[in-house]
DNA sequence: GAAGGACTATACAACGTTGCAGGACTTAAG
DNA sequence: CTTAAGTCCTGCAACGTTGTATAGTCCTTC
């Protein structure tokens, strides 16, 4: 029903291939012919059929982005930024939610969509290591720490250093009983492991003991988990005077528990989070946090993919691991 | 490079079409043949090529969802729900951010992707009315109030009634100077118009005057806009004792300004929002709001699209407009 | 014992596009 | 004047899939 090259060609009185050449900006087309073809294109409202183009060329112009969940502000922000970065290369981004389920992550890597996408930007939660190696030739960029050594590029901040920075900020304020919220034991929870490591390192640096009772696990990284974890901390004989939460949502949940118990933040307990989501800039009190350079993460992820998709040279190089900066953002929840 | 029907057929010693029949679950295939073909499929790791399938059938199995911005929790939630609903029909959702720019909305409706998607769920911000009529045969479902009378289905809550409910809640608490934040004059800002209408209706109902000084505009519906609008209200000679914000982000921003000025919520000023995003359940104080039945909106939108995509009958019916329920959620920001 | 139907499998064409090979013509170089 | 190079355009084949048409086999049923 919609017009194809054939219809345009008929109207302009040229061959199908010539129309194709005009559409693709091939140089050796006489200006007069080009104009005539263009007029026909405009008149008919011709739009190239992507499916046919892809079938022919193998490229779809679509990259997939797989994140655990869009509802989480951090991932929503990253997604938005990646869409913008991809747009500059006129790529379309197909966003997938894995809900952190291994099965869905696997489906994505192996599954139906394999032909439909040129590349994949993946923020794995459940899958770790070699399981991801299943993927065939399609280039993949992983967001987050390097969890395996297959042929995929990585873009991440230095989680351990960043967590240490956050914790060090608390020790510098003179806090002595500093809790951590967000510990996860699953082997694939690399991010949590590294933030825990950074936390412990900063404690050691300040000569403070590591107290297992202050390291609170969290099933997932949502406000409710943070609220529940804080409640557990308040049940302790001697409650902490500061908390480092492995992300901002946990921190917001923790603050909610503190404030609803009549405690003051940062008076009684200082709270610091991780991610610098917008919520933390408008909460009461505003939330101190560690801000990863999210725009840069997005930009680099897309660039790495573009290199892999580029012709020859860079396409086959060794997997790369790129570090992105982070910075400490001090707000009311830890400020004097 | 990846195996096709041809390769599977060769390995199983059958025709290409027979493999196709097995893949598509055609009934009249002898069990033995089916098993042999399936074995070949598994052995080769065959995955159907969607592009070819689409080229042949005209259907891509992809629907597009266009929202103003993913960063906004309400849209992120809707997007997540729609992805889930679409998954049950094994559709893939292509999420587009329009950033509320007319041009991007237009591109989407007319543009390149026209062939690539079977249907479109659209939450328009900048475009109104007949401009959307440009779209050819592709079915479209609009989220939000009916802004035109072209051939598209609509799914929305009754914004006017919901806004009146929120405002009525404030009058019932005995508040007399009730402000509104989020007024927009653009003709396409239908949602804002209707919430304003509901607000005014509830004031009238309570015998309160409409005071233009209390109707504060907002460029967009983000926390920063809410914070700025609240600051303007606090500059008034006599400040309001309650605020109805047209969404929760505005409300969170407004609360931030109030609390940072040392005012109490709801003691000095009661605040109510709209959307029931998660942030409001963990803010301090927790935020009263109007909760649209988002899961139902998502479900209906996908169902309507499915009907239009279905064979014959329902596909060509008159455009429908579906109402979804909402309910008032009272939390600390308005509770005694 | 013949006619009809259900079952099983195949071949061919087509979807809309682009790469390749090549033809016809023009201009520049020797 | 011949050859080479450049320009402009065209036809054919192929990408991987599925709908239609067809044909052979086997089982009913009268």
């Amino acid at each position: 029903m919609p017009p194809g090259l054939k219809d345009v060609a008929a109207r302009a009185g040229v061959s199908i291939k010539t129309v194709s050449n005009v559409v693709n900006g091939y140089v050796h087309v006489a200006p007069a012919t080009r104009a005539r073809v263009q007029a026909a294109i405009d008149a008919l409202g011709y739009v190239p059929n992507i499916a046919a183009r892809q079938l022919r060329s193998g490229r779809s112009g679509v990259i997939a982005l797989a994140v655990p969940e869009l509802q989480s502000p951090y991932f929503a922000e990253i997604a938005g930024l990646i869409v913008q970065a991809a747009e500059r290369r006129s790529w379309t981004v197909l966003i997938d939610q894995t809900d952190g389920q291994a099965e869905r992550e696997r489906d994505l890597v192996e599954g139906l969509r394999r032909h439909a996408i040129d590349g994949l930007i993946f923020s794995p939660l459940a899958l770790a290591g070699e399981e991801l190696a299943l993927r065939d030739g399609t280039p993949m960029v992983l967001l987050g720490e390097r969890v395996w050594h297959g042929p995929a590029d990585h873009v991440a901040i230095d989680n351990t250093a960043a967590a240490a920075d956050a914790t060090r900020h608390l020790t510098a304020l003179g806090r002595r009983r500093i809790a951590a919220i967000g510990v996860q034991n699953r082997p694939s929870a690399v991010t949590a492991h590294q933030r825990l490591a950074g936390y412990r390192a900063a404690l050691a640096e300040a000569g403070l003991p590591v107290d297992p009772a202050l390291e609170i696990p969290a099933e997932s990284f949502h406000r409710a988990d943070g609220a529940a974890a804080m409640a557990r901390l308040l049940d302790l004989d001697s409650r902490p005077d500061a908390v480092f939460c492995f992300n901002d949502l946990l921190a917001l949940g923790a603050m909610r528990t503190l404030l609803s118990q009549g405690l003051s933040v940062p008076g009684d307990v200082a709270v610091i989070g991780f991610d610098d989501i917008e919520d933390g800039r408008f909460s009461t009190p505003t939330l101190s946090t560690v801000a990863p350079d999210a725009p840069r993460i997005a930009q680099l992820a897309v660039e790495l993919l573009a290199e892999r998709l580029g012709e020859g040279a860079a396409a086959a190089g060794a997997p790369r691991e790129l570090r992105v900066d982070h910075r400490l953002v001090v707000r009311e929840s830890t400020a004097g």
Side-chain angles (χ1 to χ4, degrees), chain A:
Chain A
M1 198 59 190
L5 287 180
K6 194 174 40 176
D7 307 291
V8 178
R11 183 177 237 262
V14 295
S15 77
I16 288 181
K17 191 63 223 280
T18 299
V19 180
S20 169
N21 286 339
V22 170
V23 171
N24 294 17
Y26 180 65
V27 268
H28 297 310
V29 178
T33 313
R34 182 183 301 277
R36 203 148 33 89
V37 169
Q38 190 58 53
I41 288 176
D42 295 342
L44 295 176
Y46 166 78
V47 177
N49 182 317
I50 308 189
R53 187 176 275 179
Q54 177 189 354
L55 181 58
R56 192 55 242 251
S57 67
R59 285 283 170 82
S60 63
V62 176
I63 64 173
L65 168 66
V67 294
E69 48 173 10
L70 271 180
Q71 275 87 338
S72 179
Y74 176 68
F75 291 116
E77 185 188 356
I78 286 280
L81 291 167
I82 285 182
V83 169
Q84 280 171 27
E87 198 161 81
R88 276 178 240 128
R89 300 191 134 80
S90 48
W91 289 344
T92 299
V93 180
L94 193 60
I95 301 177
D96 268 289
Q97 279 187 97
T98 60
D99 295 323
Q101 291 165 24
E103 195 193 343
R104 304 217 35 209
E105 296 191 356
R106 226 186 322 263
D107 275 359
L108 199 76
V109 173
E110 302 177 36
L112 247 186
R113 235 158 271 170
R114 199 163 66 176
H115 294 296
I117 61 173
D118 296 341
L120 174 61
I121 298 178
F122 192 9
S123 181
L125 233 178
L127 289 190
E130 279 60 32
E131 255 192 304
L132 291 171
L134 298 164
R135 188 156 192 92
D136 61 350
T138 314
M140 173 160 67
V141 174
L142 296 180
L143 302 183
E145 300 290 336
R146 181 156 196 183
V147 291
W148 68 316
H149 293 78
D153 296 314
H154 287 251
V155 181
I157 64 165
D158 186 336
N159 270 298
T160 309
D165 287 350
T167 311
R168 200 177 293 123
H169 170 57
L170 298 174
T171 62
L173 292 172
R175 308 284 169 154
R176 313 317 293 163
R177 275 183 68 72
I178 302 174
I181 292 181
V183 177
Q184 298 190 321
N185 290 319
R186 289 180 287 113
S188 62
V190 185
T191 302
H193 299 163
Q194 291 178 320
R195 293 187 186 169
L196 180 61
Y199 158 80
R200 286 179 176 167
L203 288 189
E205 210 176 88
L208 295 172
V210 166
D211 180 352
L214 293 179
E215 297 177 349
I216 310 294
E219 183 73 24
S220 61
F221 278 19
H222 299 129
R223 292 178 180 85
D225 301 297
M230 194 68 230
R232 277 185 56 184
L233 281 171
L234 293 183
D235 278 346
L236 295 178
D237 290 337
S238 95
R239 66 157 191 260
D241 57 8
V243 190
F244 166 44
C245 298
F246 289 4
N247 84 349
D248 282 351
L249 291 180
L250 290 172
L252 290 167
M255 285 211 303
R256 171 65 198 159
T257 296
L258 287 167
L259 297 172
S260 70
Q261 299 292 313
L263 293 169
S264 124
V265 178
D268 295 312
V269 182
V271 177
I272 189 166
F274 204 113
D275 285 347
D276 191 26
I277 64 177
E278 204 198 60
D279 316 42
R281 297 201 271 278
F282 288 89
S283 61
T284 302
T286 53
L287 180 65
S288 295
T289 192
V290 175
D293 188 346
R296 183 127 184 87
I297 291 176
Q299 184 202 338
L300 284 178
V302 172
E303 267 176 27
L304 283 175
L305 214 46
E307 284 180 21
R308 296 281 168 188
L309 289 173
E311 311 297 320
R320 295 201 281 162
E321 188 171 11
L322 268 52
R323 287 269 172 227
V324 170
D325 284 342
H326 64 267
R327 64 179 215 287
L328 188 70
V329 179
V330 178
R331 300 209 185 92
E332 296 166 359
S333 69
T334 61

